[in-house]
Amino acid sequence: MGTIDGLPPLRDVIRLHELVAKKQLGQNFLLDLNLTAKIARLAGDLSACDVLEVGPGPGGLTRGLLAEGARRVVVVEKDPRCLPALEEIAQTYPGRLQVLQGDALELDLAAHLNGPVRIISNLPYNVGTELLIRWLSPSVWPPFWSSLTLMFQREVAERIVAKPKSDHYGRLALLAQWRADAKIVMHLPPEAFTPAPKVHSAVVHLTRLETPRYPADAAVLSRVTAMAFNQRRKMLRSSLKGLGGDVEGMLEGVGILPTARAEEIGLEHFCALARAVAARSA
């Protein structure tokens, strides 16, 4: 298979640098450069953007982003074995690729980026959901990014876009849809990766809203939804007992039946409940 940039095929890169994927790092490499270029295009025009990529591995998606015209790409890679391969890409695209070695959960990523910023990543399985929640939950909104184009296990992707009363609906859907428009834009089978995972994958595109859909304090909403979905099958009057006080009266005050379950309640009512909790604590 040919390449998109004159660099060697990714299978050759992996063999040359002995990059056997490590399960403990959540690594599954996407080797088809046509697919990585397609993912880059799904994020829109990148020519005026800085792009953040977490977990580039041997650089398949990195090469797609650069070949598709990203103004500048900043990658964060925890595995030092991948750095030589990424440096070769940096030499092919002078001044357009910055490589940071470290843990994305510990670095101040925004400090290395100039807006507008798009985050595009095949996220390591073991930290993907945590990173998404952090990007969706800053204390100040709008955040440093304008859109997220992220690959997850298909089940996680379905949780992000789920609607009330569906099997996948939960806290992740609420946090994502409160502040962003979210949709699944691509599905990938296990055989697209090396090594092939046991699950299918999907790419989710999230476009931030300039203001949340409904007013609420982010920390309070996060706390309320965590409590509500911690025991999905319990009635809200039971799962929210930890809030203290007259929980039933507070639920009724915002139009929620105390006997309802969390998976039956939409975003608007959860935001109203978060406002009520905040007002009671003020």
Side-chain angles (χ1 to χ4, degrees):
M1 183 181 73
T3 67
I4 56 177
D5 48 22
L7 287 164
L10 281 166
R11 291 191 185 279
D12 293 348
V13 172
I14 288 172
R15 184 167 53 251
L16 175 64
H17 297 288
E18 299 180 348
L19 297 178
V20 177
K22 289 187 175 181
K23 185 175 182 180
Q24 63 267 38
L25 293 177
Q27 291 176 330
N28 293 92
F29 300 146
L30 186 59
L31 302 187
D32 187 333
L33 292 171
N34 293 314
L35 278 178
T36 64
K38 182 177 180 180
I39 293 169
R41 291 193 294 271
L42 289 171
D45 183 3
L46 305 177
S47 61
C49 300
D50 275 13
V51 175
L52 171 64
E53 182 190 358
V54 175
L61 180 56
T62 311
R63 290 166 63 173
L65 295 169
L66 291 163
E68 290 298 318
R71 178 180 70 191
R72 181 168 165 269
V73 179
V74 176
V75 299
V76 184
E77 180 53 63
K78 188 174 183 179
D79 186 351
R81 299 177 307 148
C82 296
L83 299 183
L86 294 170
E87 180 56 35
E88 291 171 3
I89 301 171
Q91 293 174 7
T92 301
Y93 294 94
R96 292 176 57 201
L97 176 61
Q98 180 179 1
V99 180
L100 304 175
Q101 183 185 3
D103 188 335
L105 295 171
E106 299 176 357
L107 298 175
D108 179 8
L109 301 177
H112 298 275
L113 297 154
N114 298 308
V117 173
R118 301 190 183 199
I119 302 178
I120 308 171
S121 297
N122 172 18
L123 291 173
Y125 282 172
N126 54 351
V127 296
T129 303
E130 183 173 354
L131 281 169
L132 175 61
I133 290 175
R134 289 191 184 194
W135 289 329
L136 291 170
S137 305
S139 57
V140 177
W141 193 269
F144 71 93
W145 53 268
S146 60
S147 70
L148 309 172
T149 306
L150 306 173
M151 191 183 304
F152 296 99
Q153 296 179 45
R154 184 171 64 185
E155 181 180 346
V156 176
E158 290 172 345
R159 285 167 52 201
I160 294 168
V161 304
K163 301 301 179 185
K165 300 181 182 179
S166 67
D167 290 341
H168 293 286
Y169 181 67
R171 179 170 177 253
L172 192 57
L174 285 160
L175 294 180
Q177 297 171 40
W178 177 44
R179 286 174 155 177
D181 288 324
K183 60 182 178 180
I184 294 176
V185 294
M186 187 178 183
H187 292 274
L188 294 98
E191 53 268 24
F193 301 87
T194 298
K198 296 180 180 179
V199 296
H200 284 69
S201 299
V203 177
V204 182
H205 183 72
L206 300 100
T207 304
R208 78 178 188 198
L209 302 174
E210 290 308 300
T211 57
R213 295 188 192 280
Y214 306 103
D217 179 272
V220 176
L221 181 62
S222 181
R223 177 185 171 215
V224 168
T225 53
M227 293 177 66
F229 286 98
N230 186 46
Q231 297 173 308
R232 292 177 61 93
R233 311 219 174 265
K234 280 196 172 184
M235 298 177 186
L236 282 173
R237 67 185 180 193
S238 298
S239 57
L240 296 177
K241 281 194 300 185
L243 293 175
D246 182 9
V247 172
E248 288 199 21
M250 191 161 49
L251 288 168
E252 291 173 344
V254 297
I256 300 174
L257 288 174
T259 54
R261 292 172 172 79
E263 56 266 31
E264 301 170 336
I265 305 304
L267 174 59
E268 183 176 5
H269 281 96
F270 265 115
C271 289
L273 179 58
R275 293 195 299 271
V277 171
R280 190 188 64 178
S281 304

